[in-house]
Amino acid sequence: APLLLIGMVAFVKDYPAAPPEGFLDPAAALPVQVYNFTQRADPAFIERASGAIIVLLVFLLTMNILAVLLRRRFERRW
């Protein structure tokens, strides 16, 4: 995954367009945006990167909890 992220950042130099057409741009992936935000010198981008990291962590935890609940619900008892 880190190699794919670095390769994508090297390939995509543009920032995504404004919504709604910007949602399907290759540079619209949130990990790529976090990487781009941390490479900038402006302190405001550090705050944006921190917020995006928190969003990614909350999404990850939500999906993990959902997977555990679905596994418990559909697990076969032997």
Side-chain angles (χ1 to χ4, degrees):
L3 293 176
L4 290 173
L5 176 67
I6 300 302
M8 183 176 178
V9 170
F11 175 70
V12 178
K13 295 291 183 186
D14 301 344
Y15 290 101
E21 59 270 354
F23 287 122
L24 300 177
D25 281 351
L30 199 52
V32 174
Q33 292 301 317
V34 169
Y35 182 81
N36 286 333
F37 289 160
T38 57
Q39 298 301 316
R40 295 188 159 220
D42 190 8
F45 284 103
I46 300 297
E47 294 174 359
R48 288 183 182 180
S50 300
I53 290 169
I54 290 171
V55 167
L56 281 173
L57 285 173
V58 167
F59 181 73
L60 175 73
L61 289 174
T62 303
M63 295 306 285
N64 194 10
I65 290 170
L66 180 65
V68 168
L69 292 174
L70 286 173
R71 183 188 67 205
R72 284 186 183 173
R73 178 173 169 83
F74 294 113
E75 187 175 34
R76 286 187 171 179
R77 302 284 180 210
W78 292 97

